[in-house]
């Protein structure tokens, strides 16, 4: 079995995973016995467990979580502690969200795409070429539409705190340069397990393969996949440049992260602590987005240094891809809500 590790020895990684599993088991036992999982009532000491699928130290999402932890612990005078578990130690995005619903995990930071399995409103953020600049995304995410979509999580026992930035997604592969849409034909590309992403790449005649993130490196290494698509920060942090010869700056999707907390945990917090958590989340959001935009450029340079050939799609090719993907908007407007979709598109202009 091939094992892909990031930033530590095998034993350190195994110990980290076992520690994470032990923490989850303890939470389940406490819940079953009527104890608190994470947040405690009133003004006592509170420990919040936060799980994340990528690295804490190197990814922009992880940097945002570290800032959130720093702010919460400072603002609370150390009374509230945030414990961070990265590299998927506590599961993938979906399983960690399910843990939030059960109250066995307090906080997680998934990409918005798997969140759509819990609230279809989030499908709006998966539409191809919805945004062309990060400022457009900020305007929508922090505006009425974005906040209403965030609030929809409460119907599934989760409280959405804010949006961090995952970023604009680009394509890598080991076969050949992709400089026009026709070059995608037949390429076996990993996508997230998301219906819009799958349908969009099928429209472009690629062969999309939904797969959990922690399985991707091995699949690329063993050539069972030709390529994948992710923001620059994830491509570099996951080391995909070791298995991929070609990269295309396409910006075909923009993906936010969603910082969320279990409603069971949230309801155990005092109103004052709820306000403190929300305030720190908003401050961490600003820091994380700035960090992501800086690392996006920095990590692209490092990817090139590793010998990856990088091409950028021309405006004409992007226009062609947008035109071919237009039916996707109509197909999923019912799930998103046509009025909401029209409002988002107007807001993004």
């Amino acid at each position: 079995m091939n094992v892909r590790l990031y930033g530590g020895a095998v034993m350190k990684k195994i110990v980290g995973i076992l520690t994470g599993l032990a923490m989850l088991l303890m939470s389940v036992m406490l819940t079953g016995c009527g104890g608190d999982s994470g947040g405690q009532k009133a003004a006592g000491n509170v420990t919040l467990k936060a799980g994340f699928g990528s690295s804490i130290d190197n990814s922009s999402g992880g940097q945002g979580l570290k800032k959130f932890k720093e702010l919460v612990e400072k603002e609370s005078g150390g009374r509230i502690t945030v414990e961070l578990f990265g590299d998927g130690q506590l599961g993938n995005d979906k399983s960690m969200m399910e843990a939030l619903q059960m109250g066995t995990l307090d906080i997680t930071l998934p990409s918005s795409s798997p969140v759509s399995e819990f609230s279809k409103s989030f499908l709006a953020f998966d539409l191809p070429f919805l945004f062309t600049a990060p400022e457009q995304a900020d305007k929508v995410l922090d505006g009425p539409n974005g906040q209403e979509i965030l609030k929809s999580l409460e119907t599934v026992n989760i409280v959405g705190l804010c949006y961090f930035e995952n970023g604009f997604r680009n394509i890598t592969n080991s076969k050949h340069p992709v400089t026009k849409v026709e070059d995608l034909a037949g390429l076996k590309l990993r996508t997230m397990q998301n219906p819009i992403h799958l349908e969009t790449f099928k429209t472009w005649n690629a062969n999309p393969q939904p797969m959990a993130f922690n399985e991707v490196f091995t699949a690329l290494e063993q050539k069972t996949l030709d390529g994948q698509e992710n923001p620059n920060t994830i491509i570099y942090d996951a080391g995909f440049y070791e298995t991929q010869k070609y990269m295309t700056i396409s910006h075909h999707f923009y993906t936010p992260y969603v910082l969320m907390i279990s409603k069971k945990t949230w309801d155990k917090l005092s109103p004052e602590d709820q306000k403190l958590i929300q305030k720190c989340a908003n401050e961490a959001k600003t820091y994380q987005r700035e960090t992501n935009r800086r690392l996006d450029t920095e990590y692209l340079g490092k990817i090139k240094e590793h010998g990856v050939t990088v091409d950028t799609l021309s405006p004409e090719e992007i226009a062609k891809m947008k035109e071919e993907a237009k039916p996707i908007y109509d197909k999923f407007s019912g799930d998103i809500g046509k009025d909401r979709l029209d409002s988002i598109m107007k807001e993004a202009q």
Side-chain angles (χ1 to χ4, degrees):
M1 179 179 69
N2 290 325
V3 179
R4 173 65 181 164
L5 299 175
Y6 309 107
V10 174
M11 186 56 67
K12 181 179 178 181
K13 181 76 172 180
I14 292 173
V15 169
I17 292 172
L18 291 176
T19 300
L21 291 173
M23 293 289 290
L24 276 179
L25 180 60
M26 180 65 72
S27 297
V28 173
M29 293 172 64
L30 286 172
T31 301
C33 296
D36 286 345
S37 168
Q40 301 173 11
K41 295 180 181 179
N45 291 336
V46 177
T47 298
L48 301 174
K49 299 189 300 295
F52 184 48
S54 295
S55 74
I56 297 297
D57 292 327
N58 297 323
S59 71
S60 66
Q63 292 296 307
L65 284 173
K66 287 174 72 173
K67 175 58 71 172
F68 174 70
K69 169 184 169 69
E70 172 191 318
L71 290 167
V72 167
E73 293 179 355
K74 179 180 178 181
E75 291 288 327
S76 68
R79 185 174 53 78
I80 303 177
T81 301
V82 181
E83 297 179 348
L84 304 179
F85 298 86
D87 290 321
Q89 292 180 54
L90 303 186
N92 58 31
D93 285 344
K94 182 179 179 181
S95 64
M96 285 191 283
M97 287 189 69
E98 290 170 343
L100 258 64
Q101 290 180 304
M102 294 184 292
T104 57
L105 179 64
D106 301 306
I107 294 169
T108 190
L109 183 69
S111 293
S112 63
S113 297
V115 180
S116 65
E117 293 188 48
F118 297 78
S119 172
K120 288 187 177 180
S121 298
F122 281 85
L123 285 169
F125 304 133
D126 292 309
L127 291 166
F129 300 109
L130 178 65
F131 303 125
T132 59
E135 293 76 19
Q136 284 180 316
D138 291 347
K139 183 179 178 183
V140 172
L141 295 172
D142 297 336
N145 286 299
Q147 293 307 298
E148 286 177 14
I149 291 172
L150 196 62
K151 193 170 179 61
S152 71
L153 287 171
E154 292 185 17
T155 63
V156 293
N157 226 23
I158 293 171
V159 175
L161 294 172
C162 67
Y163 299 97
F164 282 6
E165 179 174 88
N166 196 346
F168 286 101
R169 305 178 77 85
N170 298 310
I171 300 165
T172 69
N173 83 97
S174 59
K175 292 287 188 181
H176 53 249
V178 173
T179 59
K180 55 186 184 298
V181 66
E182 289 82 3
D183 295 331
L184 290 172
L187 281 180
K188 295 173 70 173
L189 298 176
R190 180 267 179 178
T191 67
M192 284 189 280
Q193 295 164 308
N194 175 276
I196 291 182
H197 286 205
L198 290 167
E199 288 296 319
T200 300
F201 275 100
K202 287 178 182 177
T203 297
W204 295 330
N205 293 318
N207 183 6
Q209 305 287 315
M211 183 180 293
F213 182 77
N214 60 359
E215 301 172 9
V216 176
F217 186 92
T218 299
L220 294 172
E221 190 176 43
Q222 295 179 347
K223 307 299 183 185
T224 55
L225 285 176
D226 298 322
Q228 59 83 54
E229 51 86 51
N230 259 300
N232 295 347
T233 53
I234 300 296
I235 292 170
Y236 179 76
D237 181 50
F240 291 151
Y241 54 81
E242 296 179 15
T243 69
Q244 305 281 270
K245 295 180 181 179
Y246 308 100
M247 179 173 174
T248 303
I249 306 300
S250 51
H251 288 187
H252 50 280
F253 299 126
Y254 173 92
T255 309
Y257 283 123
V258 186
L259 182 61
M260 55 181 68
I261 186 169
S262 167
K263 193 170 188 305
K264 290 187 177 182
T265 299
W266 185 254
D267 289 344
K268 293 172 186 175
L269 297 171
S270 68
E272 293 75 20
D273 283 350
Q274 290 177 352
K275 289 179 182 178
L276 184 153
I277 294 291
Q278 185 64 67
K279 175 178 179 288
C280 294
N282 291 337
E283 291 182 17
K285 170 190 72 178
T286 301
Y287 170 85
Q288 191 275 337
R289 290 180 187 176
E290 292 173 352
T291 299
N292 188 74
R293 289 161 199 180
R294 173 177 57 80
L295 291 179
D296 183 79
T297 300
E298 180 182 323
Y299 284 0
L300 177 60
K302 292 185 176 183
I303 290 168
K304 291 178 180 178
E305 289 175 3
H306 281 277
V308 177
T309 299
V310 179
D311 293 294
T312 301
L313 290 181
S314 68
E316 293 76 17
E317 282 302 317
I318 290 176
K320 186 192 301 183
M321 293 174 75
K322 288 177 69 174
E323 184 65 27
E324 292 184 5
K326 270 186 177 180
I328 301 294
Y329 281 67
D330 294 332
K331 182 170 183 177
F332 290 93
S333 63
D335 290 326
I336 298 166
K338 189 176 186 308
D339 290 343
R340 170 165 284 157
L341 179 55
D342 290 342
S343 180
I344 288 173
M345 293 176 68
K346 181 178 180 181
E347 198 172 18
Q349 291 178 353

